[in-house]
């Protein structure tokens, strides 16, 4: 993995953007393989965000947080 990171770090900004676009497109293709439960969970989360778009945790805060905060954050996302 570190070899991959160094290869990515050696790319120009334009090459990184192209790589990101390619990876994103491959993820979109993988989305077709979601289970019904996964698709339902994603639909729920999107609808919940649409209802209250200000109820978010900025990525920087999530990334900076300790591992102990992760379950609390994840419990806010799940529905049962």
């Amino acid at each position: 993995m570190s070899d991959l990171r160094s290869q990515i770090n050696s790319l120009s900004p334009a090459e990184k953007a192209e790589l990101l676009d390619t990876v994103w497109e491959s993820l979109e293709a993988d989305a077709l393989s979601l289970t019904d439960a996964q698709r339902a969970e994603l639909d729920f989360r999107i609808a919940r965000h649409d209802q209250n778009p200000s109820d978010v945790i900025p990525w920087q805060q999530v990334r900076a947080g300790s591992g102990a905060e992760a379950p609390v954050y994840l419990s806010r996302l799940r529905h049962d």
Side-chain angles (χ1 to χ4, degrees):
M1 185 62 129
S2 64
D3 184 46
L4 178 59
R5 286 184 189 267
S6 76
Q7 289 177 20
I8 292 170
N9 289 336
S10 71
L11 297 174
S12 70
E15 291 169 324
K16 288 177 184 177
E18 184 178 345
L19 175 61
L20 182 60
D21 189 47
T22 301
V23 171
W24 188 257
E25 287 175 1
S26 75
L27 290 172
E28 289 175 342
D30 291 343
L32 300 175
S33 63
L34 293 175
T35 66
D36 289 342
Q38 290 169 326
R39 189 167 303 283
E41 180 67 21
L42 289 173
D43 289 344
F44 171 80
R45 291 181 187 196
I46 291 168
R48 183 172 168 185
H49 175 71
D50 287 345
Q51 291 171 357
N52 192 2
S54 64
D55 184 22
V56 297
I57 298 174
W59 172 242
Q60 294 83 359
Q61 183 180 345
V62 173
R63 189 171 186 188
S66 71
E69 296 169 344
V72 173
Y73 171 71
L74 293 174
S75 68
R76 291 180 61 196
L77 294 177
R78 294 195 53 85
H79 74 21
D80 293 316

